[in-house]
Each structure stands twice: as structure tokens, then as C-alpha cells.
Amino acid sequence: DLARIPKCFPNAKRVWIALLRRQDGLASSLYAEHLKKGLIAYPQDEAQVYGPEFLDHWERLRMIAQASQDDEIVVGSFEVMKRDLVANFLARMGCHTDIAAPAEKEERQNVALPAKALGALRLINALPRRVSWRMREALIDLAKSRPGLFGTSRLEARVPSELLAQYERGNRT
């Protein structure tokens, strides 16, 4: 509940940072995460994450503004800031540090499961919970430990263009 944050820190100078992600990438990521957690099962599909509670940035920013009272709100692009989230976060907060970055920075690899593994999770999630959670964990571990076993194709968002147009206003804020 966002309204609780100002109450917890009533005298603090608060800055809210909202990172907005393109809705097509957000929908793909949410769908994969919901499958991994067992929240989506056959016959449900990716349309489960197309609702405004997930994709309407304008509404999300409105809720933050309402909860934040007179706090500062900084809006940034997830795609731009994710490359070095901590440094970008600190810069947005106005914190400038002279700490040198490590000489060799380990490149973060995309840990997204292949589309076939996600399809298998969708079927597994339709089974009774007492067995599906074990199978889900085993499949995720298998897919991560043996890259290529389920192919290499990634899930592509199939968010209908008319749905993306509906949320266009939130993309421009």
C-alpha cells in the first residue's frame, strides 16, 4: 500500500523513482514470472497480464502521485536505466559518488526461460498444486542447468497493437 510510505517517514525528504518499462517487454516478463510462480495455467494465456493494473503506466503514476503527497517523483525508462541500475538510481537521487567502477564488470545475462520451457510450465501449472510445484521447480532447474535443452527461442510478446495504443498516453509521461 503506497499510502503507508509517507506515514512511515513523515519528516523525511522523500523521492519516488518510477521506472517504466515498454509494455510489450513488461507483458512478456510478467507472463514468464507468473508461469514460474504457478499463477497462470492452461488454458489461461498471456492475456492474463494485459490488464491495466499491469500495463497502464498513466494510472500507476497517478496512484504514486496521490500517495506521495508533495514528494518529488522522478520517472525513468527501465530499458535505459537497467544497464547500471545502481549508478543510475544514485544519479537520479542526486547522489554523486567518486567510487570507481570495477575494472571488469560482469555482464548480466538474461535468465529468461526459453519459450518451450514456459509452455511446459503452463501445462504443469494446470496439475494439482501438491505435485505441480515440485515439477515446476524441477523444470526451471533443468532449463537453467542445461541451456539449449528447450531450444533457444525466447517468448515474444504478442500484445495486440490496439491494446498498446490504449496505454500510449502512459508511455509519453
Side-chain angles (χ1 to χ4, degrees):
D1 183 19
L2 296 176
R4 292 178 51 200
I5 294 174
K7 292 174 186 170
C8 291
F9 306 99
N11 300 319
K13 178 184 183 259
R14 296 177 302 269
V15 177
W16 299 61
I17 297 183
L19 297 181
L20 303 182
R21 188 172 185 179
R22 282 180 45 113
Q23 281 98 338
D24 51 357
L26 178 60
S28 289
S29 179
L30 284 171
Y31 180 58
E33 286 304 310
H34 280 64
L35 284 169
K36 288 191 275 185
K37 292 176 182 176
L39 300 175
I40 294 177
Y42 179 84
Q44 297 170 320
D45 59 15
E46 63 270 6
Q48 301 300 310
V49 296
Y50 290 169
E53 67 275 17
F54 299 115
L55 302 180
D56 189 347
H57 295 330
W58 184 258
E59 179 60 20
R60 194 170 298 220
L61 290 173
R62 187 195 65 73
M63 288 173 29
I64 291 172
Q66 184 177 6
S68 66
Q69 302 164 355
D70 295 326
D71 299 342
E72 180 182 355
I73 300 173
V74 178
V75 179
S77 164
F78 172 80
E79 286 79 13
V80 171
M81 290 184 70
K82 74 177 181 181
R83 289 183 182 86
D84 196 345
L85 196 57
V86 173
N88 284 312
F89 178 82
L90 291 172
R92 291 282 184 151
M93 294 291 296
C95 301
H96 300 287
T97 179
D98 58 357
I99 298 173
E104 288 186 29
K105 186 174 181 180
E106 190 175 310
E107 194 66 31
R108 181 182 178 269
Q109 294 187 4
N110 185 356
V111 293
L113 296 178
K116 287 182 182 177
L118 292 173
L121 283 176
R122 185 170 165 241
L123 295 174
I124 288 171
N125 290 342
L127 298 171
R129 281 208 184 277
R130 67 182 185 278
V131 294
S132 66
W133 70 272
R134 287 187 187 113
M135 293 177 71
R136 188 171 43 254
E137 286 183 359
L139 185 128
I140 291 169
D141 289 344
L142 183 62
K144 288 181 177 179
S145 67
R146 302 211 28 215
L149 180 65
F150 291 94
T152 56
S153 66
R154 298 288 177 211
L155 181 69
E156 294 295 326
R158 295 181 296 189
V159 182
S161 58
E162 61 273 6
L163 188 61
L164 289 175
Q166 176 183 342
Y167 300 120
E168 184 65 23
R169 179 173 61 161
N171 291 341
R172 303 219 181 274
T173 57

Short mmCIF file of all heavy atoms in Angstrom, two decimals, residues 56-101:
data_model
loop_
_atom_site.label_atom_id
_atom_site.label_comp_id
_atom_site.label_asym_id
_atom_site.label_seq_id
_atom_site.Cartn_x
_atom_site.Cartn_y
_atom_site.Cartn_z
N ASP A 56 -0.96 -0.10 -17.59
CA ASP A 56 -1.37 1.30 -17.68
C ASP A 56 -0.45 2.16 -16.81
O ASP A 56 -0.67 2.37 -15.63
CB ASP A 56 -2.82 1.46 -17.23
CG ASP A 56 -3.37 2.86 -17.51
OD1 ASP A 56 -2.58 3.77 -17.83
OD2 ASP A 56 -4.59 3.04 -17.42
N HIS A 57 0.63 2.68 -17.42
CA HIS A 57 1.61 3.49 -16.69
C HIS A 57 0.98 4.78 -16.16
O HIS A 57 1.33 5.25 -15.08
CB HIS A 57 2.80 3.84 -17.58
CG HIS A 57 3.62 2.64 -17.98
ND1 HIS A 57 3.74 1.53 -17.20
CD2 HIS A 57 4.37 2.42 -19.08
CE1 HIS A 57 4.53 0.65 -17.80
NE2 HIS A 57 4.92 1.17 -18.94
N TRP A 58 0.08 5.36 -16.92
CA TRP A 58 -0.55 6.60 -16.50
C TRP A 58 -1.28 6.40 -15.17
O TRP A 58 -1.14 7.20 -14.25
CB TRP A 58 -1.51 7.07 -17.59
CG TRP A 58 -2.14 8.40 -17.30
CD1 TRP A 58 -3.40 8.63 -16.84
CD2 TRP A 58 -1.53 9.67 -17.43
NE1 TRP A 58 -3.61 9.98 -16.68
CE2 TRP A 58 -2.47 10.64 -17.04
CE3 TRP A 58 -0.26 10.09 -17.84
CZ2 TRP A 58 -2.19 12.00 -17.05
CZ3 TRP A 58 0.01 11.45 -17.84
CH2 TRP A 58 -0.95 12.38 -17.45
N GLU A 59 -2.02 5.32 -15.06
CA GLU A 59 -2.74 5.02 -13.83
C GLU A 59 -1.77 4.75 -12.68
O GLU A 59 -1.98 5.18 -11.54
CB GLU A 59 -3.69 3.83 -14.03
CG GLU A 59 -4.46 3.42 -12.80
CD GLU A 59 -5.37 4.52 -12.25
OE1 GLU A 59 -5.71 5.47 -12.98
OE2 GLU A 59 -5.74 4.42 -11.06
N ARG A 60 -0.72 4.04 -12.96
CA ARG A 60 0.28 3.73 -11.93
C ARG A 60 0.93 5.02 -11.41
O ARG A 60 1.11 5.19 -10.21
CB ARG A 60 1.34 2.81 -12.52
CG ARG A 60 2.24 2.17 -11.52
CD ARG A 60 3.07 1.13 -12.19
NE ARG A 60 2.19 0.11 -12.73
CZ ARG A 60 2.43 -1.18 -12.70
NH1 ARG A 60 3.53 -1.61 -12.16
NH2 ARG A 60 1.60 -2.04 -13.21
N LEU A 61 1.26 5.93 -12.32
CA LEU A 61 1.85 7.22 -11.91
C LEU A 61 0.84 8.06 -11.13
O LEU A 61 1.21 8.75 -10.17
CB LEU A 61 2.36 7.98 -13.13
CG LEU A 61 3.60 7.38 -13.80
CD1 LEU A 61 3.91 8.11 -15.09
CD2 LEU A 61 4.79 7.41 -12.86
N ARG A 62 -0.42 7.99 -11.51
CA ARG A 62 -1.46 8.72 -10.79
C ARG A 62 -1.56 8.21 -9.35
O ARG A 62 -1.67 8.99 -8.41
CB ARG A 62 -2.81 8.57 -11.50
CG ARG A 62 -3.92 9.44 -10.89
CD ARG A 62 -5.30 9.03 -11.35
NE ARG A 62 -5.69 7.70 -10.90
CZ ARG A 62 -6.02 7.39 -9.64
NH1 ARG A 62 -6.00 8.30 -8.71
NH2 ARG A 62 -6.36 6.16 -9.32
N MET A 63 -1.49 6.90 -9.17
CA MET A 63 -1.56 6.32 -7.82
C MET A 63 -0.35 6.74 -6.98
O MET A 63 -0.48 7.04 -5.79
CB MET A 63 -1.64 4.79 -7.91
CG MET A 63 -2.98 4.30 -8.41
SD MET A 63 -3.08 2.52 -8.74
CE MET A 63 -1.95 1.77 -7.64
N ILE A 64 0.83 6.77 -7.60
CA ILE A 64 2.03 7.20 -6.88
C ILE A 64 1.90 8.66 -6.49
O ILE A 64 2.20 9.05 -5.36
CB ILE A 64 3.30 6.96 -7.72
CG1 ILE A 64 3.56 5.46 -7.86
CG2 ILE A 64 4.50 7.66 -7.10
CD1 ILE A 64 4.67 5.11 -8.83
N ALA A 65 1.43 9.51 -7.41
CA ALA A 65 1.27 10.94 -7.12
C ALA A 65 0.28 11.15 -5.99
O ALA A 65 0.48 12.00 -5.12
CB ALA A 65 0.81 11.67 -8.38
N GLN A 66 -0.79 10.38 -5.98
CA GLN A 66 -1.80 10.50 -4.93
C GLN A 66 -1.23 10.10 -3.57
O GLN A 66 -1.47 10.76 -2.56
CB GLN A 66 -3.01 9.65 -5.28
CG GLN A 66 -4.15 9.77 -4.30
CD GLN A 66 -5.35 8.94 -4.75
OE1 GLN A 66 -5.30 8.20 -5.72
NE2 GLN A 66 -6.43 9.07 -4.03
N ALA A 67 -0.44 9.03 -3.55
CA ALA A 67 0.11 8.53 -2.29
C ALA A 67 1.29 9.38 -1.81
O ALA A 67 1.54 9.46 -0.61
CB ALA A 67 0.56 7.09 -2.46
N SER A 68 1.99 9.98 -2.73
CA SER A 68 3.24 10.66 -2.38
C SER A 68 3.06 12.06 -1.83
O SER A 68 4.03 12.68 -1.40
CB SER A 68 4.17 10.69 -3.58
OG SER A 68 3.61 11.52 -4.59
N GLN A 69 1.86 12.58 -1.87
CA GLN A 69 1.57 13.92 -1.37
C GLN A 69 2.43 14.94 -2.12
O GLN A 69 2.29 15.08 -3.31
CB GLN A 69 1.74 13.98 0.15
CG GLN A 69 0.86 13.00 0.88
CD GLN A 69 1.29 12.78 2.31
OE1 GLN A 69 2.29 13.29 2.78
NE2 GLN A 69 0.51 12.00 3.02
N ASP A 70 3.34 15.63 -1.42
CA ASP A 70 4.16 16.66 -2.06
C ASP A 70 5.57 16.18 -2.35
O ASP A 70 6.47 17.00 -2.57
CB ASP A 70 4.21 17.92 -1.18
CG ASP A 70 2.84 18.57 -1.06
OD1 ASP A 70 2.08 18.52 -2.04
OD2 ASP A 70 2.53 19.10 0.02
N ASP A 71 5.79 14.89 -2.33
CA ASP A 71 7.13 14.35 -2.58
C ASP A 71 7.51 14.55 -4.04
O ASP A 71 6.66 14.71 -4.91
CB ASP A 71 7.17 12.85 -2.26
CG ASP A 71 6.87 12.55 -0.82
OD1 ASP A 71 6.95 13.47 0.02
OD2 ASP A 71 6.55 11.39 -0.52
N GLU A 72 8.80 14.46 -4.28
CA GLU A 72 9.30 14.53 -5.65
C GLU A 72 9.14 13.15 -6.30
O GLU A 72 9.40 12.12 -5.67
CB GLU A 72 10.78 14.92 -5.66
CG GLU A 72 11.37 15.02 -7.04
CD GLU A 72 12.85 15.38 -7.01
OE1 GLU A 72 13.40 15.65 -5.93
OE2 GLU A 72 13.45 15.37 -8.10
N ILE A 73 8.70 13.14 -7.56
CA ILE A 73 8.56 11.89 -8.32
C ILE A 73 9.46 12.01 -9.54
O ILE A 73 9.34 12.95 -10.32
CB ILE A 73 7.11 11.65 -8.76
CG1 ILE A 73 6.19 11.57 -7.54
CG2 ILE A 73 7.01 10.37 -9.59
CD1 ILE A 73 4.72 11.50 -7.89
N VAL A 74 10.36 11.05 -9.69
CA VAL A 74 11.27 11.01 -10.82
C VAL A 74 10.88 9.80 -11.66
O VAL A 74 10.81 8.69 -11.16
CB VAL A 74 12.74 10.89 -10.37
CG1 VAL A 74 13.67 10.80 -11.56
CG2 VAL A 74 13.11 12.06 -9.47
N VAL A 75 10.63 10.04 -12.94
CA VAL A 75 10.24 8.96 -13.84
C VAL A 75 11.39 8.66 -14.79
O VAL A 75 12.00 9.58 -15.34
CB VAL A 75 8.97 9.35 -14.65
CG1 VAL A 75 8.59 8.23 -15.61
CG2 VAL A 75 7.83 9.67 -13.71
N GLY A 76 11.70 7.38 -14.93
CA GLY A 76 12.79 6.98 -15.81
C GLY A 76 12.40 5.79 -16.65
O GLY A 76 11.41 5.11 -16.39
N SER A 77 13.20 5.53 -17.66
CA SER A 77 12.99 4.40 -18.54
C SER A 77 13.73 3.19 -18.00
O SER A 77 14.95 3.22 -17.80
CB SER A 77 13.52 4.73 -19.95
OG SER A 77 13.67 3.56 -20.71
N PHE A 78 13.02 2.10 -17.79
CA PHE A 78 13.63 0.87 -17.32
C PHE A 78 14.69 0.39 -18.31
O PHE A 78 15.78 -0.02 -17.92
CB PHE A 78 12.56 -0.22 -17.13
CG PHE A 78 13.13 -1.57 -16.82
CD1 PHE A 78 13.54 -1.88 -15.54
CD2 PHE A 78 13.24 -2.53 -17.81
CE1 PHE A 78 14.08 -3.13 -15.26
CE2 PHE A 78 13.76 -3.78 -17.54
CZ PHE A 78 14.18 -4.08 -16.26
N GLU A 79 14.38 0.46 -19.60
CA GLU A 79 15.31 -0.03 -20.63
C GLU A 79 16.62 0.74 -20.61
O GLU A 79 17.68 0.18 -20.85
CB GLU A 79 14.66 0.04 -22.01
CG GLU A 79 13.60 -1.01 -22.28
CD GLU A 79 12.25 -0.69 -21.64
OE1 GLU A 79 12.03 0.45 -21.19
OE2 GLU A 79 11.40 -1.58 -21.58
N VAL A 80 16.56 2.04 -20.33
CA VAL A 80 17.76 2.87 -20.29
C VAL A 80 18.53 2.64 -18.99
O VAL A 80 19.74 2.47 -18.99
CB VAL A 80 17.41 4.37 -20.45
CG1 VAL A 80 18.62 5.25 -20.19
CG2 VAL A 80 16.84 4.63 -21.83
N MET A 81 17.81 2.60 -17.88
CA MET A 81 18.47 2.54 -16.58
C MET A 81 18.95 1.15 -16.17
O MET A 81 19.82 1.03 -15.32
CB MET A 81 17.55 3.10 -15.50
CG MET A 81 17.35 4.59 -15.62
SD MET A 81 16.36 5.29 -14.28
CE MET A 81 17.49 5.14 -12.91
N LYS A 82 18.41 0.09 -16.77
CA LYS A 82 18.75 -1.25 -16.31
C LYS A 82 20.20 -1.63 -16.54
O LYS A 82 20.72 -2.51 -15.88
CB LYS A 82 17.82 -2.29 -16.95
CG LYS A 82 18.11 -2.58 -18.40
CD LYS A 82 17.19 -3.67 -18.92
CE LYS A 82 17.49 -3.98 -20.37
NZ LYS A 82 16.59 -5.00 -20.88
N ARG A 83 20.88 -0.95 -17.45
CA ARG A 83 22.27 -1.30 -17.74
C ARG A 83 23.17 -1.14 -16.51
O ARG A 83 24.07 -1.92 -16.29
CB ARG A 83 22.78 -0.47 -18.90
CG ARG A 83 22.14 -0.91 -20.20
CD ARG A 83 22.69 -0.13 -21.39
NE ARG A 83 22.03 -0.56 -22.60
CZ ARG A 83 20.89 -0.05 -23.03
NH1 ARG A 83 20.28 0.89 -22.36
NH2 ARG A 83 20.34 -0.49 -24.15
N ASP A 84 22.93 -0.10 -15.75
CA ASP A 84 23.66 0.12 -14.50
C ASP A 84 22.68 0.74 -13.51
O ASP A 84 22.72 1.94 -13.25
CB ASP A 84 24.88 1.01 -14.72
CG ASP A 84 25.85 0.91 -13.55
OD1 ASP A 84 25.45 0.40 -12.48
OD2 ASP A 84 27.00 1.34 -13.69
N LEU A 85 21.81 -0.09 -13.00
CA LEU A 85 20.69 0.37 -12.19
C LEU A 85 21.13 1.15 -10.96
O LEU A 85 20.58 2.20 -10.66
CB LEU A 85 19.82 -0.83 -11.80
CG LEU A 85 18.44 -0.52 -11.28
CD1 LEU A 85 17.64 0.30 -12.26
CD2 LEU A 85 17.70 -1.79 -10.93
N VAL A 86 22.13 0.67 -10.25
CA VAL A 86 22.56 1.34 -9.01
C VAL A 86 23.12 2.73 -9.32
O VAL A 86 22.73 3.72 -8.69
CB VAL A 86 23.58 0.48 -8.23
CG1 VAL A 86 24.14 1.25 -7.05
CG2 VAL A 86 22.93 -0.81 -7.77
N ALA A 87 24.01 2.82 -10.29
CA ALA A 87 24.59 4.12 -10.64
C ALA A 87 23.52 5.09 -11.13
O ALA A 87 23.51 6.26 -10.75
CB ALA A 87 25.68 3.95 -11.70
N ASN A 88 22.62 4.62 -11.96
CA ASN A 88 21.55 5.47 -12.46
C ASN A 88 20.60 5.88 -11.35
O ASN A 88 20.13 7.02 -11.31
CB ASN A 88 20.79 4.78 -13.59
CG ASN A 88 21.56 4.79 -14.89
OD1 ASN A 88 22.07 5.83 -15.30
ND2 ASN A 88 21.67 3.65 -15.53
N PHE A 89 20.31 4.96 -10.45
CA PHE A 89 19.44 5.26 -9.32
C PHE A 89 20.06 6.36 -8.45
O PHE A 89 19.41 7.34 -8.11
CB PHE A 89 19.20 3.98 -8.50
CG PHE A 89 18.37 4.18 -7.28
CD1 PHE A 89 16.99 4.22 -7.36
CD2 PHE A 89 18.96 4.34 -6.03
CE1 PHE A 89 16.21 4.40 -6.23
CE2 PHE A 89 18.19 4.52 -4.90
CZ PHE A 89 16.81 4.55 -5.00
N LEU A 90 21.34 6.20 -8.13
CA LEU A 90 22.02 7.20 -7.31
C LEU A 90 22.07 8.56 -8.01
O LEU A 90 21.88 9.60 -7.38
CB LEU A 90 23.43 6.73 -6.95
CG LEU A 90 23.50 5.55 -5.97
CD1 LEU A 90 24.92 5.05 -5.84
CD2 LEU A 90 22.91 5.93 -4.63
N ALA A 91 22.32 8.55 -9.30
CA ALA A 91 22.36 9.81 -10.06
C ALA A 91 20.99 10.48 -10.04
O ALA A 91 20.90 11.71 -9.88
CB ALA A 91 22.81 9.55 -11.50
N ARG A 92 19.92 9.71 -10.20
CA ARG A 92 18.57 10.28 -10.16
C ARG A 92 18.24 10.85 -8.78
O ARG A 92 17.47 11.79 -8.66
CB ARG A 92 17.51 9.22 -10.51
CG ARG A 92 17.52 8.78 -11.94
CD ARG A 92 16.84 9.82 -12.79
NE ARG A 92 16.78 9.35 -14.16
CZ ARG A 92 15.85 9.69 -15.00
NH1 ARG A 92 14.89 10.50 -14.64
NH2 ARG A 92 15.87 9.24 -16.21
N MET A 93 18.84 10.26 -7.75
CA MET A 93 18.62 10.74 -6.38
C MET A 93 19.48 11.97 -6.07
O MET A 93 19.36 12.55 -5.01
CB MET A 93 18.96 9.63 -5.38
CG MET A 93 18.04 8.44 -5.45
SD MET A 93 16.38 8.80 -4.89
CE MET A 93 16.68 9.19 -3.20
N GLY A 94 20.37 12.33 -7.01
CA GLY A 94 21.24 13.48 -6.78
C GLY A 94 22.49 13.12 -6.00
O GLY A 94 23.21 13.99 -5.54
N CYS A 95 22.76 11.83 -5.86
CA CYS A 95 23.97 11.38 -5.16
C CYS A 95 25.07 11.13 -6.18
O CYS A 95 24.94 10.26 -7.03
CB CYS A 95 23.69 10.08 -4.40
SG CYS A 95 22.39 10.22 -3.17
N HIS A 96 26.11 11.89 -6.07
CA HIS A 96 27.24 11.71 -6.99
C HIS A 96 28.40 11.15 -6.19
O HIS A 96 28.77 11.67 -5.16
CB HIS A 96 27.60 13.02 -7.66
CG HIS A 96 26.46 13.59 -8.44
ND1 HIS A 96 26.06 13.07 -9.64
CD2 HIS A 96 25.61 14.60 -8.17
CE1 HIS A 96 25.02 13.74 -10.10
NE2 HIS A 96 24.72 14.68 -9.21
N THR A 97 28.92 10.07 -6.64
CA THR A 97 29.98 9.39 -5.92
C THR A 97 31.22 9.30 -6.79
O THR A 97 31.13 9.25 -8.01
CB THR A 97 29.52 7.99 -5.48
OG1 THR A 97 30.59 7.35 -4.81
CG2 THR A 97 29.08 7.14 -6.64
N ASP A 98 32.37 9.29 -6.15
CA ASP A 98 33.62 9.16 -6.89
C ASP A 98 34.18 7.76 -6.77
O ASP A 98 35.35 7.52 -7.05
CB ASP A 98 34.64 10.20 -6.42
CG ASP A 98 34.94 10.09 -4.94
OD1 ASP A 98 34.31 9.24 -4.25
OD2 ASP A 98 35.80 10.84 -4.46
N ILE A 99 33.33 6.83 -6.35
CA ILE A 99 33.77 5.44 -6.26
C ILE A 99 33.97 4.92 -7.67
O ILE A 99 33.09 5.00 -8.52
CB ILE A 99 32.73 4.57 -5.52
CG1 ILE A 99 32.56 5.08 -4.09
CG2 ILE A 99 33.13 3.11 -5.55
CD1 ILE A 99 31.44 4.40 -3.33
N ALA A 100 35.15 4.41 -7.91
CA ALA A 100 35.47 3.90 -9.25
C ALA A 100 34.74 2.59 -9.50
O ALA A 100 34.62 1.75 -8.61
CB ALA A 100 36.97 3.68 -9.38
N ALA A 101 34.27 2.45 -10.71
CA ALA A 101 33.61 1.21 -11.09
C ALA A 101 34.65 0.11 -11.23
O ALA A 101 35.81 0.38 -11.54
CB ALA A 101 32.88 1.41 -12.42
#
